[in-house]
Amino acid sequence: MALIKITADLPGDATTEVTADQVSAHFAIAPQLMVFNDGEIRYAEHHPFLLIHIPGGRPVTDTGARVDLRRLAELLEALPIDWSQPDPTEACEPYIAEVAEALVECVIDDDSAAVVFA
């Protein structure tokens, strides 16, 4: 789609603005950032990208190196969930099995992955 700026959540209740690749109406692929004990923010080395929920700035999955993030965004968008909400956690509850199934379908090489906000 296009590159966009989003405010992304970081560990420790921090946020930062990042440039992300919007891959669907409500999801973007962004670099995974880490906050270190000294407060420095750096890119993650092992799992460099995340699927981010744009309205909330929250990561959908905690890994990106072994997950087809574009396909995952496509499958999540197809579910009957109102992704326009800043926090879709409650809207996801009736569809947790479907969200988990979408994630499993997108895992490459049997790498483990977890949905964060569901």
Side-chain angles (χ1 to χ4, degrees):
M1 290 181 96
L3 292 179
I4 60 170
K5 294 268 186 194
I6 60 173
T7 302
D9 286 348
L10 295 174
D13 296 326
T15 62
T16 191
E17 189 173 274
V18 296
T19 300
D21 180 12
Q22 185 173 1
V23 294
S24 71
H26 301 99
F27 298 99
I29 296 174
Q32 182 170 347
L33 302 173
M34 301 180 71
V35 180
F36 288 83
N37 291 338
D38 61 3
E40 184 178 346
I41 298 172
R42 289 183 259 176
Y43 292 104
E45 293 179 23
H46 298 292
H47 300 291
F49 296 101
L50 294 170
L51 186 65
I52 301 284
H53 175 248
I54 296 169
R58 296 174 66 187
V60 175
T61 173
D62 67 358
T63 185
R66 300 279 187 197
V67 176
D68 183 344
L69 298 176
R70 291 178 187 277
R71 177 75 177 135
L72 180 57
E74 179 183 309
L75 293 174
L76 293 176
E77 290 282 8
L79 294 173
I81 295 171
D82 180 5
W83 295 114
S84 65
Q85 301 175 47
D87 183 356
T89 304
E90 189 173 317
C92 286
E93 284 182 17
Y95 304 100
I96 288 178
E98 290 86 349
V99 170
E101 185 178 310
L103 181 60
V104 168
E105 184 175 322
C106 296
V107 173
I108 301 166
D109 297 332
D110 296 325
D111 189 28
S112 61
V115 172
V116 174
F117 65 63

